[in-house]
Every structure is written in structure tokens, then in C-alpha cells.
């Protein structure tokens, strides 16, 4: 491989990613500290950066460099191979979708959002339906431009989970569904139920913030390369391993919101801080997929954060900080933070029912994009699905098919990454425990760094070297399977609920 050509290519790629980091920083500021009246200016700033970014990504010069490097490919050099392959993918996606279509989608989503807000408020699906129709048509057009083999949905999902195929995802989801539905039903009628009121006891937000920082630090978050702030919708924004910022929000009378929110976002943040700094600004230091990203947050939030082992060490500290919990025994706390209850709203769902909310959306999206589910039938299909999976029916569409913002933003193919994240998380955690027989004891003593190291070595440092399904195999020795997730849920929830 000609090192001069590669050098020029990497310089170009780093410029693209510098623009992305500027974009991310502007967005982070918009959600945290930006004064309200700056909204219009910020819109102009973001549009300007997006324009330059698109121009750089689609430039012929980049296409020529890629072609040259592909001809000289050296299979031994996986760093170069990864960077070339991933930038090719992005360049092609950007070139294939004409600016004119991007503009039409942007306009349609703006109008759809204007309709969705009041439609959700008044539970008035017909008001949103024509917009959904238009967006589906535009996204089908986009999928056709990008290209697909078995179904257009694959081309859309590929944006978030590169290389994933809907038919394969469906197969795994079906197996999970077959196990989850009876488990949820059994838990609903279980002889033992948690006392959830203890979670509503007063815990001052400033003390919550201090406690969260202790947990994030114990997990290995580097505060000299990142920060925690407050925003309405929590998120994590990575600019480089040296600058990773995430947010949380507080509810004085519901401590799990920020506590598990911070463990979740710290999981995302550790992934971003765990990339090899030498490769900053190139695909080798960028996440594999959103599903893998979500696996890191779910692993820390659920597998670790909602385990009894973790609280063996941290619960006395929590009680010392919050006297309102002083008379609550560890077991009662552990049961309460593992409450499972079929509910209507996805974002409030627990770790057992959550996947079912996702599988419903995945199923409907796939049918809508394929043109098999007419838009006017969506509410009915939604409600039938909720009844079948969770045995509840939304009283109206605001608590049903209108609840999520994704569709009005034209985002299709994103939801499955959430459920994939849970599956990956369980499989990674099982592999880490196999590799480190002392892991449970370490966690019970508050020693979380060894787990971070394992994740760093087996997942984080690879960046985009592997596609998600390959990474699962490399890190765990096995293909993606539903069993680690189901075994984990049965192992935790059946004893808890006395089943
Ligand atoms: Zn997340």
C-alpha cells in the first residue's frame, strides 16, 4: 500500500471526523447550556457544518483515493483495511443518496414533527397518518438508492447496525419472544411482588449527583477526559477518547432515574473512552454499531447495576448517603430495583418487558417499509401486538403507536438496535464471567475495574475493526444467541418472584 496515498486519505478522514466532533459539541451545548434565544443561531451553525461535512464525504477526490487504496489492499494491515472499508461504506451511502432527496426528507420530517406533537397530545392518529405515509415513501426511495438484497428494510437498518439483516434479526427475536412472553405472564401473577414505594423516598438531587460520581469513578470513567451534566433527555456524546460527555436528570422522589441513568450512560462513555487514542478520528476508534454501543450501557446498568452482588458493596454507602433508605433491607432494595410490570410506554419499561416493546416496533416497521401494512391499519396492529406480547391494550394511540418520536423523524431500523444491545450485553457478560472466575467476588467488593479492562480489551479497542456479528464471535467465541439473555433473566427473576 502506497503510504503517501494512505496518508492523504487519513488526513481527509480525520478532517471529516473533526467536523463531526464540532457537530457533536454544538449539539451537546444545545442540550445543556445554550441560552434559549440562541436556537436560531445554533441551527445556522449546525447547517453550515453539515454542509461542509457532506461535501467532504462525497468529494470525488475521496472516491479516487478509496479506489486506489482498494487496488493496493494489504490483507495483513487490518487497521488500513478497516479504515478503507468503513469510509468506502460511508462515502457510497452519502453519494448514492442525492442532496435533493436529503432535503425532501428534512422538509417532510419537519412537517411530520409539527403534526406529531399535537397528534400525540390529542391521541389523534389520522392527523399524523398522511405524514407517516410520505415518510415511508421517502425512506423506501432512500433504501432503493442505497441498494438491498432481500428487503429494503435492510438498507435502512444498515445505517445503525452495519451488516445486520432483518431476516436474521427476526429469527433471534422470535426465539427471545417465545421465552419472554410466558416469563412476563408468570411474573405478573407471581406470589412475591416488590415494594416499589421505597424507590420514591426523598433523596436530595445534589447528594444523588455526588453518589453517581462515585459510581462512575468506580466503573473507571476518567473525569479528566469527560464530564457529567444535566439535560432533559440524557445522552452520551463522544468526541474522542479524551473528551466524552454525558448527561443525566434528577427526580428527588425517584432515585433510580439518575442512578441507573448514570450507570447506563457511563457504560456508553467507557466505550468511547476505551478506543485506542492512536486511531482517534478514524473508524478504528469509532463504535462498531449502535447495538454494540447499547450493549455497553445495558451491561453496566442491568447485568452489574441491578445485581445483588453490586449492591453488597454499594448499598451501605447508599444508605449512609440517604437516611431515608436506612430501614430498607438490601433484599427489599434489590427486589424493588428489579420490578417487572407490563406497561404501555417503552421508555419506562423494565429489562424483561423492554425487548417486547422493541420487537413489536421492529415487526411493524418491517411490514410498513415492505408495504405490507397500510398506514391506517397501524394503530390496530399496534394494539393487537401489545395484547399478544404484554397482555395489555393501550387506551388510546398517544399511549400506543404515537408515543415514540422516531417515526416522525423518519428513523426506521433504529429500534432493533436497542433489543440487540440487551442480547449482546448478556452474551458479553457471560463471556467475561467465564474468562474471569473471580469476577463475581470482585464486583461484590466494589472492584469494577477488572470488568472495564476486559471490555476494553475484548470490545472497545477494536473500534470498527469487526462488524457486530463478528465482534460477538471474537469476544465470546460464539455466534449471537438468545440463550445467555434468557438464562440471565430466568436466573435473576424467577427466584426473586418466587417462581
Ligand atoms: Zn443507551
Amino acid at each position: 500500500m502506497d503510504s503517501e496515498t494512505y496518508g492523504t486519505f487519513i488526513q481527509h478522514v480525520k478532517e471529516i471526523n473533526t467536523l463531526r466532533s464540532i457537530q457533536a459539541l454544538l449539539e451537546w451545548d444545545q442540550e445543556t447550556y445554550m441560552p434559549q434565544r440562541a436556537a436560531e443561531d445554533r441551527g445556522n451553525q449546525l447547517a453550515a457544518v453539515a454542509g461542509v461535512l457532506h461535501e467532504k464525504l462525497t468529494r470525488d477526490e475521496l472516491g479516487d483515493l478509496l479506489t486506489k487504496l482498494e487496488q493496493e489492499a494489504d490483507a495483513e494491515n487490518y487497521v488500513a483495511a478497516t479504515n478503507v472499508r468503513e469510509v468506502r461504506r460511508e462515502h457510497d451511502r452519502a453519494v448514492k443518496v442525492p442532496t435533493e432527496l436529503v432535503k425532501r426528507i428534512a422538509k417532510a420530517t419537519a412537517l411530520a414533527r409539527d403534526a406529531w406533537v399535537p397528534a400525540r397530545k390529542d391521541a389523534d392518529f389520522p392527523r399524523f397518518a398522511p405524514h407517516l405515509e410520505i415518510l415511508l415513501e421517502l425512506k423506501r426511495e432512500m433504501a432503493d438508492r442505497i441498494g438491498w438484497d432481500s428487503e429494503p428494510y435492510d438498507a435502512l437498518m444498515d445505517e445503525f447496525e452495519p451488516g445486520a439483516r432483518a431476516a436474521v434479526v427476526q429469527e433471534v427475536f422470535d426465539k427471545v419472544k417465545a421465552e419472554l412472553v410466558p416469563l412476563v405472564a408468570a411474573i405478573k401473577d407471581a406470589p412475591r411482588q416488590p415494594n416499589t414505594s421505597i424507590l420514591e423516598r426523598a433523596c436530595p438531587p445534589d447528594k444523588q449527583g455526588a453518589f453517581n460520581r462515585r459510581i462512575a469513578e468506580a466503573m473507571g470513567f476518567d473525569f479528566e477526559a469527560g464530564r457529567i451534566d444535566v439535560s432533559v433527555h440524557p445522552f452520551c456524546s463522544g468526541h474522542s477518547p479524551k473528551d466524552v460527555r454525558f448527561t443525566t436528570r434528577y427526580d428527588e422522589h425517584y432515585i433510580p432515574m439518575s442512578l441507573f441513568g448514570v450507570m447506563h450512560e457511563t457504560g456508553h462513555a467507557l466505550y468511547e473512552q476505551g478506543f485506542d487514542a492512536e486511531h482517534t478520528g478514524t473508524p478504528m476508534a469509532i463504535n462498531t454499531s449502535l447495538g454494540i454501543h447499547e450493549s455497553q450501557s445495558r451491561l453496566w446498568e442491568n447485568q452489574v447495576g441491578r445485581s445483588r452482588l453490586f449492591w453488597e458493596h454499594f448499598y451501605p454507602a447508599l444508605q449512609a448517603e440517604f437516611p431515608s433508605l436506612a430501614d430498607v433491607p438490601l433484599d427489599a432494595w434489590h427486589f424493588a430495583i428489579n420490578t417487572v410490570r407490563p406497561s404501555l410506554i417503552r421508555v419506562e419499561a423494565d429489562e424483561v418487558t423492554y425487548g417486547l416493546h422493541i420487537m413489536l416496533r421492529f415487526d411493524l416497521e418491517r411490514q410498513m417499509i415492505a408495504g405490507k401494512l397500510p398506514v391506517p391499519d397501524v394503530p390496530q396492529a399496534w394494539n393487537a401486538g401489545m395484547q399478544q406480547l404484554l397482555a395489555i391494550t393501550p387506551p388510546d394511540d398517544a399511549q400506543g403507536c404515537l408515543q415514540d418520536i422516531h417515526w416522525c423523524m423518519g428513523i426506521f431500523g433504529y429500534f432493533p438496535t436497542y433489543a440487540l444491545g440487551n442480547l449482546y450485553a448478556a452474551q458479553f457478560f457471560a463471556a467475561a464471567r467465564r474468562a474471569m472466575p473471580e469476577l463475581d467476588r470482585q464486583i461484590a467488593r466494589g472492584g469494577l475495574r477488572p470488568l472495564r479492562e476486559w471490555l476494553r480489551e475484548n470490545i472497545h479497542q477494536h473500534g470498527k475493526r469487526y462488524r457486530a456479528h463478528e465482534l460477538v464471535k471474537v469476544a465470546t467465541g460464539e455466534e449471537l444467541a438468545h440463550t445467555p439473555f434468557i438464562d440471565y433473566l430466568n436466573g435473576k427473576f424467577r427466584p426473586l418472584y418466587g417462581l
Side-chain angles (χ1 to χ4, degrees):
M1 187 175 282
D2 174 14
S3 64
E4 204 186 311
T5 310
Y6 186 69
T8 312
F9 164 73
I10 285 298
Q11 197 188 341
H12 197 104
V13 171
K14 286 190 173 174
E15 279 170 20
I16 289 171
N17 282 297
T18 297
L19 287 164
R20 286 210 171 112
S21 71
I22 292 169
Q23 213 170 28
L25 199 55
L26 288 171
E27 283 163 354
W28 169 84
D29 175 70
Q30 188 171 27
E31 301 296 322
T32 51
Y33 295 105
M34 187 188 84
Q36 218 177 348
R37 287 174 62 193
E40 199 184 330
D41 291 346
R42 184 54 42 91
N44 292 335
Q45 290 158 349
L46 281 167
V49 179
V52 183
L53 189 54
H54 183 77
E55 190 275 320
K56 268 196 181 297
L57 191 58
T58 52
R59 204 182 275 182
D60 289 341
E61 186 199 342
L62 179 60
D64 295 343
L65 283 169
L66 282 165
T67 308
K68 221 168 154 192
L69 290 168
E70 281 157 354
Q71 283 159 357
E72 299 164 359
D74 166 12
E76 297 282 290
N77 186 347
Y78 69 82
V79 173
T82 301
N83 289 336
V84 169
R85 183 193 70 220
E86 292 302 321
V87 175
R88 161 63 75 191
R89 173 180 165 274
E90 278 201 80
H91 173 73
D92 284 358
R93 281 188 73 101
V95 169
K96 284 177 181 170
V97 182
T99 319
E100 159 274 323
L101 177 57
V102 174
K103 281 188 181 153
R104 269 194 287 147
I105 292 175
K107 203 171 161 195
T109 53
L111 292 172
R113 197 170 168 161
D114 285 347
W116 172 74
V117 174
R120 185 170 74 152
K121 194 172 144 273
D122 303 335
D124 179 9
F125 182 76
R127 186 168 182 173
F128 176 60
H131 295 277
L132 183 56
E133 198 93 62
I134 293 166
L135 286 173
L136 285 168
E137 229 160 83
L138 289 168
K139 295 307 270 199
R140 275 186 218 116
E141 186 180 337
M142 189 173 144
D144 289 342
R145 298 264 189 183
I146 292 164
W148 45 271
D149 293 327
S150 29
E151 58 183 298
Y153 191 75
D154 284 346
L156 302 178
M157 198 168 57
D158 188 84
E159 184 178 347
F160 313 108
E161 200 67 13
R165 295 286 170 266
V168 178
V169 172
Q170 183 81 63
E171 229 174 88
V172 184
F173 280 7
D174 283 346
K175 288 180 189 157
V176 177
K177 223 187 282 181
E179 303 273 354
L180 280 189
V181 172
L183 179 62
V184 170
I187 287 174
K188 204 173 164 186
D189 300 324
R192 296 186 63 215
Q193 293 294 335
N195 172 10
T196 53
S197 73
I198 57 177
L199 303 176
E200 289 157 20
R201 296 193 179 176
C203 298
D206 55 330
K207 284 192 165 187
Q208 288 188 39
F211 191 79
N212 291 344
R213 285 180 74 87
R214 266 169 74 179
I215 302 264
E217 201 162 77
M219 286 167 64
F221 181 70
D222 178 0
F223 280 92
E224 285 177 4
R227 48 181 296 131
I228 309 178
D229 294 274
V230 174
S231 71
V232 180
H233 302 288
F235 66 99
C236 173
S237 164
H239 309 142
S240 90
K242 293 175 188 156
D243 188 356
V244 180
R245 305 166 185 218
F246 69 85
T247 64
T248 187
R249 56 179 166 176
Y250 297 102
D251 181 341
E252 179 160 10
H253 292 280
Y254 193 66
I255 188 175
M257 182 185 280
S258 84
L259 183 56
F260 294 108
V262 164
M263 288 196 78
H264 180 99
E265 298 304 334
T266 305
H268 281 305
L270 292 181
Y271 188 19
E272 296 282 335
Q273 285 187 342
F275 297 135
D276 189 340
E278 188 197 331
H279 300 306
T280 298
T282 70
M284 275 299 292
I286 294 175
N287 69 80
T288 309
S289 71
L290 291 189
I292 296 294
H293 224 311
E294 197 62 11
S295 78
Q296 299 306 292
S297 55
R298 302 276 166 145
L299 187 152
W300 284 104
E301 178 194 352
N302 292 330
Q303 311 270 334
V304 177
R306 292 182 206 270
S307 72
R308 203 182 175 289
L309 284 175
F310 175 82
W311 289 106
E312 271 177 30
H313 176 81
F314 285 100
Y315 194 57
L318 187 80
Q319 284 180 308
E321 203 64 53
F322 304 102
S324 59
L325 293 169
D327 64 334
V328 177
L330 170 59
D331 282 327
W333 164 258
H334 178 237
F335 199 7
I337 60 171
N338 282 292
T339 300
V340 175
R341 199 163 287 159
S343 62
L344 297 167
I345 306 297
R346 174 186 61 85
V347 295
E348 291 162 12
D350 54 78
E351 63 174 320
V352 182
T353 57
Y354 193 86
L356 295 171
H357 287 267
I358 295 304
M359 287 165 207
L360 170 66
R361 287 155 176 75
F362 172 66
D363 193 35
L364 299 184
E365 281 189 351
R366 228 182 135 195
Q367 290 188 54
M368 279 193 277
I369 292 291
K372 290 178 188 159
L373 174 62
V375 166
D377 296 347
V378 169
Q380 202 191 342
W382 181 288
N383 295 349
M386 284 297 285
Q387 188 57 44
Q388 192 197 350
L389 297 174
L390 290 160
I392 46 175
T393 296
D396 58 47
D397 293 337
Q399 295 172 77
C401 65
L402 285 170
Q403 66 181 265
D404 293 303
I405 197 168
H406 301 59
W407 291 346
C408 85
M409 291 171 78
I411 300 174
F412 298 89
Y414 187 104
F415 281 124
T417 69
Y418 290 129
L420 286 169
N422 276 334
L423 299 178
Y424 297 144
Q427 197 160 334
F428 289 148
F429 194 60
R433 286 178 74 199
R434 273 201 308 275
M436 299 187 288
E438 67 291 359
L439 183 62
D440 282 2
R441 260 173 293 133
Q442 284 163 340
I443 292 175
R445 287 199 307 264
L448 306 177
R449 299 289 176 109
L451 177 60
R452 187 198 72 169
E453 288 317 303
W454 188 90
L455 294 169
R456 197 163 260 195
E457 194 183 318
N458 290 279
I459 293 156
H460 305 171
Q461 62 142 346
H462 293 311
K464 270 197 191 305
R465 179 174 176 185
Y466 304 106
R467 288 279 152 86
H469 66 279
E470 295 166 337
L471 180 63
V472 168
K473 204 158 177 214
V474 168
T476 73
E478 280 155 23
E479 305 277 351
L480 173 65
H482 70 294
T483 37
F485 180 56
I486 297 299
D487 290 348
Y488 154 71
L489 294 181
N490 281 325
K492 178 159 83 172
F493 290 98
R494 288 195 179 271
L496 264 180
Y497 282 83
L499 297 170

